[in-house]
Amino acid sequence: MQSRLLATLLFVFCVSCSMLIQAADETTSSQDYAELTVANRNVMVFRSTLMGESPASRVKRAKAVISEALDEADDPVVALDPIQDSYLVLLGTRRAFIVSPKDVDTLQYGSVEQAAQSAAEKLRQVVAETKESRSLRLMLRALVAAAIATGIYLALLWGVAFVRRKLLLRLPELMDRHTRALKVGRVQVIEANYLYPLVIRVFWLLRWLVLLLLTYEWLGFVLSRFPYTRPWGESLNNYLLELATYLFQAVVGAIPGLGVALAIFFIARGATAFTRQVLKRMAGPGTFNWLNYETLQPTQRLTSLAIWLFALAMAYPYLPGAGTDAFKGLSVLIGLMISLGASSVVGQAAAGLILTYTRTLRPGEFVRIGEYEGTVTELGMFTTSIRTGLGEVLTLPNSMITGTVTKNYSRIVKGSGYVVDTVVTIGYDTPWRQVEAMLLEAARRTPGVLEDPPAQVFQTALSDFYPEYRLVAQAIPSQPRPRAVLLSMLHANIQDVFNEYGVQIMSPHYEVDPDLEKYVPKDKWFLAPARKPDDQ
């Protein structure tokens, strides 16, 4: 039993080794090839061993036969002679080489006959070029053509240098004249001094491109004139022709996609204009609560942004190069940069939309946001600007506003205006009716405080030592007086009224009552260095 198992394992091992050796031989034979080149012209590629000769030996023998045949006759005839499944390529009466089925590249040639005909045609070209190289008349003609081409090449080089000198002389004047015409209003967009170095570099690059192209064409033409170097010249010309063909085909192939992208662009443009008109008509009263003249402009912008983003997503596959790995990698990089760096920007924009559509703030309203208060001057997508009573302009992030308690002094007032308020604390020994009357009198004396609606006094707290009185009035927003100045005048009038009636504003925390009441009599209001209004 063990011997039978051992024999089975040995058989499997031998079969595996033979398969590996056969695969290695096939790989080696597929990579073992030699190319027959005569007078710099590629004639045939041998890929198989034939009649005991390796591809390299077949190339060596074919070169020797072709050289002897060309030495014996100036114009030997190239012919094909089929033999079984192969073809003999004859040069005169000699066998130049054999084309076998294993020598044929199936991707390049469809059959052995086509490969043999191609090799024979290349060999005929070698024969013709050899005959041409032995003709003194043809070589002199090639030299004359090369000399004429060299003269034209030198003349073109001189012409490029001449045009460059003329352009450099006239360039400052041309740039100065044209840059002066590029204006937005009265502001010149581009300065010639900054643009001149860039234009010089562009001209330098174009000059070298033209010189390299002229040199390339001259070299390809000259090399093509002589039989021995003609394959080199043909390869240069073919490469340039293939490159031009590739670029032309790429441009032509991109035209349908560009047409679709342009169609999407015009459709998006028309849809944007149409939605703007529809939203403008719907912004009237009684249509939607969230759509009015205040939210019309941001709604139009958001709608246009959504349409253009959708159009970009639709047109992306039709853009030239959209399917290349470079374009895909660039798209991924841009998306990664936006996702990593725009989180705060998106948050600010979302907060701006919340403020806009909830109508928390409006330009012209007087508000208090956290510890900042002032008049709203601008409500933007990312920030909100307010002007304080001290003449400062504060720019607050919208995300901070949505996360902070906001007091609006203008929203609940009667008509136009904003609320102004202040707090005083007076002892329990002063009648509260007297305190309310004095506060209302101070409000009536303050310029800028409206009489309609009338000011009001509220007792907001009954503390251990004193009541707390809050005076609330409405101010006129159209006057240029800031809220800080208005409050200062209101506080001054409160002190004057309380002093007139002999009521002290000092809030008592009792240890003992003072011997004299703490207030300023009217005859001491203007002690030095204070001046009466009549003295100023």
Side-chain angles (χ1 to χ4, degrees), residues 154-353:
L154 295 176
L156 290 175
L157 292 182
W158 179 86
V160 171
F162 178 77
V163 172
R164 176 177 174 271
R165 287 195 302 270
K166 292 296 184 180
L167 284 177
L168 290 179
L169 290 176
R170 297 194 58 187
L171 185 61
E173 179 185 354
L174 292 173
M175 290 183 59
D176 186 67
R177 184 170 70 248
H178 289 287
T179 53
R180 287 177 182 272
L182 295 175
K183 291 183 178 181
V184 177
R186 296 183 179 180
V187 179
Q188 186 171 341
V189 178
I190 301 176
E191 293 287 341
N193 296 332
Y194 297 103
L195 191 61
Y196 185 77
L198 177 62
V199 176
I200 288 295
R201 292 179 182 178
V202 172
F203 279 175
W204 178 85
L205 179 62
L206 291 177
R207 170 175 171 263
W208 278 106
L209 287 176
V210 172
L211 291 180
L212 289 176
L213 182 61
L214 291 176
T215 304
Y216 190 94
E217 286 294 330
W218 168 80
L219 185 61
F221 180 82
V222 171
L223 292 177
S224 300
R225 296 305 96 194
F226 301 95
Y228 188 78
T229 59
R230 187 169 295 159
W232 299 341
E234 290 176 353
S235 63
L236 290 177
N237 294 330
N238 291 335
Y239 175 76
L240 187 61
L241 182 61
E242 290 175 359
L243 180 61
T245 304
Y246 171 77
L247 294 176
F248 178 75
Q249 290 178 351
V251 172
V252 173
I255 290 177
L258 287 176
V260 175
L262 286 176
I264 294 174
F265 168 78
F266 286 114
I267 293 173
R269 185 178 178 183
T272 302
F274 177 74
T275 54
R276 282 180 175 273
Q277 294 297 327
V278 171
L279 291 174
K280 189 175 181 181
R281 293 184 179 181
M282 295 172 60
T287 306
F288 295 104
N289 294 329
W290 56 269
L291 184 60
N292 50 36
Y293 292 110
E294 295 178 2
T295 59
L296 175 61
Q297 186 175 5
T299 304
Q300 289 178 339
R301 291 179 179 176
L302 289 174
T303 307
S304 300
L305 179 62
I307 291 174
W308 283 112
L309 287 177
F310 181 76
L312 180 61
M314 293 293 294
Y316 175 82
Y318 300 99
L319 296 177
T324 60
D325 294 336
F327 210 108
K328 295 178 181 177
L330 181 62
S331 303
V332 172
L333 178 61
I334 293 175
L336 182 62
M337 292 173 61
I338 292 176
S339 61
L340 293 178
S343 58
S344 61
V345 177
V346 173
Q348 297 290 351
L353 293 177

Side-chain angles (χ1 to χ4, degrees), residues 366-384:
F366 193 90
V367 296
R368 182 176 182 86
I369 303 170
E371 59 180 2
Y372 309 105
E373 67 175 22
T375 304
V376 179
T377 59
E378 183 181 359
L379 182 60
M381 180 65 71
F382 304 103
T383 59
T384 297

Side-chain angles (χ1 to χ4, degrees), residues 16-73:
S16 302
C17 290
S18 63
M19 292 177 64
L20 291 174
I21 293 172
Q22 183 179 0
D25 291 341
E26 291 178 356
T27 305
T28 304
S29 62
S30 63
Q31 294 178 353
D32 187 14
Y33 62 89
E35 187 173 5
L36 174 60
T37 303
V38 181
N40 292 328
R41 178 112 17 217
N42 298 328
V43 178
M44 184 65 191
V45 178
F46 298 126
R47 294 181 171 85
S48 64
T49 299
L50 187 64
M51 293 184 295
E53 291 185 345
S54 64
S57 300
R58 294 173 63 190
V59 168
K60 184 176 180 180
R61 182 185 177 282
K63 283 185 177 181
V65 173
I66 293 172
S67 178
E68 291 177 1
L70 292 176
D71 290 339
E72 292 177 359

